[in-house]
Amino acid sequence: MGVVAESWFDSGWRNEEWLDRWEIPFGRWVEESIDWLNIEGESVFNVFKWPFENLLDLITDDILLAIPWPFMLLVFVVIGFLVRDVKVGLGAAAGIFLCGVLGPDYWRFTMQTIGIILVAVIVCVAIGLPYGVLCARNDRVWNITRPVLDGMQLVHAFTYLIAIIFFFGTGPVGGTVATMVFALPPMIRLTNLGIRQVPGDVVEAAKSYGASNLRVLTDVQLPLARPAIMTGVNQVLLLSLSFVGIIAVIAGGGLGQLVLRGINTADPALGAASGLALYLVGVVMDRLSQPDPSDDRTLFRKMGAAIRGRYVVPDVPSAEPAAAPEPEPVARPRRPALKPAMAVAGGVGLVGGIVAIVSAFMTWVDGAGRISSYARPDDQLLDGSFSGTDATGGSWFGIIVFVVGVIVALLSALVLLRVRERWSSWLPAPSGLVFTGVAVTGLMIFYLTIAAHDLAGPTSHGTGVYLALVSGVILLLGGLLSWRNHRPGHTKASAVVVRMALGAFAVGLLVIGSFSNWVNDERPNAFTPEQQKLIDEERANPTPGGVSASLIAQVIGEAREEPNRYDGFDDQGPTLGWGILIIAIALAAVVLLAGVAPRANALWDALTLGVATAMLFGVAAWVVSFLRVSVNGIFTGAGALPVLMGCGLVIGTTLGRMRQRSLDEREAADGATAGA
């Protein structure tokens, strides 16, 4: 026995080689089953593919891609206006527009992504809503379905693609089917949950009045379960969007295809741009599908109210007895006299706005293009006068000054006409003048620091630039002259510390941006200004002995080794770093003063908002003006990214403080009135 046991113990069963001799052919079983199903069930799979193919063709090709992009943006505005409000519609259109300008063919890929998501959502709702109702009405069906849904949500997403490839092939149809299967469980779960959460006494009350089961479902349970159902639709939409990047591995189409291409080619620019586009599509679809929690009206009631201009849910009339008839209304009181401070604010704002409008149409550039010469080399040889709105003149710098001037002039006119005393509910007229005055002044200071291209011909600033600067100073002085003391209030030390910390972080981002690249020239035949000057001099005065040709060839060879990049302080570039550094110092000074003298927070907030907006306008104007005329191979550098992040942080936190201060002042005024 001992010999037998020892020989069995040493027979090698403990090694993995023993296991390798055994193989359960599960994979072969599945392969044979798939082959059989593809042959015998071809007609069934064709029927299943039919709605996906036709819906994709209808929604993507015949609607989304057939409508010109300006009208498609208008469609997003209208949809947002009908389901939520105008702000959501404009934000949705802006997000989709930004997706389209991120690169070539991005509009087509964005529309394909939206089409895939819409088809998946439509099919998921068509299947998940009735099946969820069935699960809610039948416990046995729900007990069988729940473990299946658990398995569907636990299985890895790539597992779905295996079966999809075998049964439906690769391409958009297979990708849409996989997306639908992946996103279906939340719709069923939340529909079931919403109906089950309807109070039983409400259902019993409906039945006691003689309502049938169908009427109870359609008139009681589904309306009360609508928030849960809409949450399910929202979850289906977001899961569909998250799966778009995964189906790219089976050529599912859409923006996920660009993300996969960026990964395969190790292209960070392509990956970042396509990732941003996917993010924007997700935010837009989420905002359009997520209902307002304070508004429980149906979509059609919202549409009717939006068309009539009513955004607030009408109050339900109470059952209280009618009150006594009110007395006849007295004569409408006359508008109060215009206060001196408001007269100053309105008058100065109107003058400053008109000056800004006029400056935009005056000469901004005499000679070669100051901004456009970096983006379009042909503009280096221009000789003429260009206004603030011309692409070779002030471009978007002038356009921004014009738009700000129009807004300030209109709001100031309303103040003078005593139509309104505040520019908005949270922005008094003096604060608005200080804010816009600092913004325009800072924008023009930033513009004046932009250096002309080294190879550009003679160029100088026109009178329109200085007039725009004067308009900003006028607005700032008008705001300070009409400034009224706001309620000081009490500022916590922790709030001051947080404000200064955020300000320091934003200033740090601006400083980082000032040292970053602002112009990248990756043309294969691009030269630095020094190399171009050397070539021009050599061609004008050739070196004796035939050295000219070899010298030019050597320069050309050196120019093609790496692209030309100009950072914020490069003498051969636009030197944007100096303007950014000036505004960063101004921002740091205002934040420091706000920490030292918190009782004047209203003034510091207006100044902070103006400084940050000036920087935001300046960088945005530079980028868009560059894109307006740039040629292939020349584009703006990454310096704009940290600057925009820092400005957005400051603007967002400052707007929050200003709105909260307005609410506090209003509550204090209401309390004083009630006490009196």
Side-chain angles (χ1 to χ4, degrees), residues 191-226:
T191 301
N192 168 72
L193 179 64
I195 292 180
R196 287 179 180 272
Q197 286 181 340
V198 174
D201 53 351
V202 177
V203 176
E204 292 298 329
K207 290 182 178 180
S208 65
Y209 280 97
S212 62
N213 290 331
L214 180 60
R215 291 293 301 274
V216 170
L217 175 65
T218 57
D219 295 347
V220 177
Q221 291 178 315
L222 286 178
L224 293 177
R226 189 170 68 89

Side-chain angles (χ1 to χ4, degrees), residues 527 530-539 541-559:
F527 308 113
E530 293 178 351
Q531 293 169 336
Q532 187 64 51
K533 287 180 180 179
L534 181 61
I535 292 174
D536 294 340
E537 292 175 358
E538 194 66 28
R539 286 173 175 169
N541 302 305
T543 303
V547 185
S548 175
S550 61
L551 181 60
I552 293 176
Q554 178 183 357
V555 172
I556 292 176
E558 293 176 355

Side-chain angles (χ1 to χ4, degrees), residues 352 356 359 364 397 400-405 408 433-447 465 467-476 610-611 613-615 617:
S359 69
W364 279 50
F397 285 88
I400 290 176
V401 170
F402 170 76
V403 172
V404 172
V408 171
L433 289 179
V434 172
F435 152 56
T436 53
V438 173
V440 174
T441 303
L443 175 66
M444 298 316 301
I445 292 175
F446 179 74
Y447 178 81
V465 176
L467 192 61
L469 179 62
V470 170
S471 70
V473 175
I474 291 174
L475 296 176
L476 175 58
V611 173
T613 304
M615 191 72 268
F617 282 168

Side-chain angles (χ1 to χ4, degrees), residues 245-496:
I246 297 176
I247 63 174
V249 299
I250 62 171
L255 292 168
Q257 205 75 24
L258 297 179
V259 175
L260 181 63
R261 190 184 306 169
I263 295 174
N264 291 336
T265 59
D267 189 346
L270 179 61
S274 56
L276 176 60
L278 267 177
Y279 167 77
L280 292 173
V281 170
V283 171
V284 168
M285 302 297 285
D286 178 61
R287 292 298 95 188
L288 293 180
S289 65
Q290 195 174 71
D292 187 355
S294 62
D295 191 353
D296 59 352
R297 292 173 295 175
T298 63
L299 174 61
F300 295 104
R301 289 185 179 180
K302 290 181 181 178
M303 292 170 62
I307 295 173
R308 295 190 301 270
R310 295 175 57 187
Y311 296 99
V312 181
V313 182
D315 294 330
V316 179
S318 61
E320 298 178 357
E326 298 181 357
E328 295 183 2
V330 297
R332 186 175 182 179
R334 305 177 69 179
R335 291 179 180 175
L338 189 63
K339 299 178 181 178
M342 291 299 99
V344 173
V348 175
L350 184 61
V351 172
I354 293 175
V355 172
I357 294 172
V358 173
S359 69
F361 296 98
M362 298 181 67
T363 301
W364 279 50
V365 174
D366 283 319
R370 181 167 292 269
I371 300 175
S372 60
S373 60
Y374 289 98
R376 188 167 55 189
D378 293 343
D379 288 4
Q380 299 169 5
L381 305 177
L382 292 177
D383 185 15
S385 299
F386 307 99
S387 68
T389 58
D390 289 335
T392 51
S395 193
W396 275 89
F397 285 88
I399 294 173
I400 290 176
V401 170
F402 170 76
V403 172
V404 172
V406 170
I407 295 174
V408 171
L410 289 177
L411 293 174
S412 300
L414 293 177
V415 171
L416 289 176
L417 295 174
R418 294 177 293 171
V419 175
R420 59 194 309 168
E421 187 175 338
R422 306 169 69 94
W423 283 12
S424 70
S425 60
W426 53 272
L427 186 63
S431 299
L433 289 179
V434 172
F435 152 56
T436 53
V438 173
V440 174
T441 303
L443 175 66
M444 298 316 301
I445 292 175
F446 179 74
Y447 178 81
L448 289 170
T449 60
I450 299 176
H453 199 284
D454 274 10
L455 299 178
T459 180
S460 61
H461 295 296
T463 55
V465 176
Y466 301 103
L467 192 61
L469 179 62
V470 170
S471 70
V473 175
I474 291 174
L475 296 176
L476 175 58
L477 293 178
L480 294 176
L481 290 174
S482 60
W483 189 265
R484 297 179 299 170
N485 292 328
H486 292 259
R487 187 180 301 273
H490 176 68
T491 303
K492 296 181 179 179
S494 59
V496 175

Side-chain angles (χ1 to χ4, degrees), residues 47-272:
V47 171
F48 192 77
K49 289 167 58 177
W50 179 84
F52 292 93
E53 292 177 344
N54 287 272
L55 283 175
L56 280 175
D57 292 339
L58 174 65
I59 295 177
T60 304
D61 298 331
D62 298 339
I63 297 179
L64 296 178
L65 291 176
I67 299 177
W69 70 267
F71 297 102
M72 181 55 63
L73 295 181
L74 183 61
V75 168
F76 277 96
V77 173
V78 173
I79 293 175
F81 173 70
L82 294 178
V83 301
R84 292 290 295 273
D85 53 35
V86 179
K87 292 181 180 179
V88 172
L90 293 175
I96 298 300
F97 172 75
L98 185 57
C99 291
V101 298
L102 286 174
D105 292 333
Y106 269 70
W107 180 263
R108 179 170 59 87
F109 284 115
T110 300
M111 293 300 105
Q112 288 180 354
T113 301
I114 295 176
I116 292 173
I117 293 173
L118 290 179
V119 171
V121 170
I122 291 172
V123 177
C124 282
V125 172
I127 297 175
L129 182 61
Y131 193 80
V133 172
L134 177 62
C135 292
R137 309 277 296 227
N138 193 315
D139 291 336
R140 181 173 298 177
V141 174
W142 172 241
N143 291 333
I144 297 174
T145 304
R146 184 169 57 184
V148 177
L149 298 179
D150 294 340
M152 293 175 65
Q153 292 182 299
L154 288 174
V155 171
H156 194 273
F158 278 95
T159 308
Y160 291 108
L161 302 183
I162 299 174
I164 294 301
I165 292 174
F166 295 144
F167 293 126
F168 300 100
T170 60
V173 174
T176 308
V177 174
T179 303
M180 184 274 297
V181 175
F182 179 74
L184 181 61
M187 189 68 215
I188 299 176
R189 286 185 182 276
L190 289 170
T191 301
N192 168 72
L193 179 64
I195 292 180
R196 287 179 180 272
Q197 286 181 340
V198 174
D201 53 351
V202 177
V203 176
E204 292 298 329
K207 290 182 178 180
S208 65
Y209 280 97
S212 62
N213 290 331
L214 180 60
R215 291 293 301 274
V216 170
L217 175 65
T218 57
D219 295 347
V220 177
Q221 291 178 315
L222 286 178
L224 293 177
R226 189 170 68 89
I229 295 174
M230 290 305 300
T231 302
V233 174
N234 181 261
Q235 292 299 307
V236 168
L237 189 146
L238 295 180
L239 287 176
S240 301
L241 179 67
S242 67
F243 207 69
V244 168
I246 297 176
I247 63 174
V249 299
I250 62 171
L255 292 168
Q257 205 75 24
L258 297 179
V259 175
L260 181 63
R261 190 184 306 169
I263 295 174
N264 291 336
T265 59
D267 189 346
L270 179 61

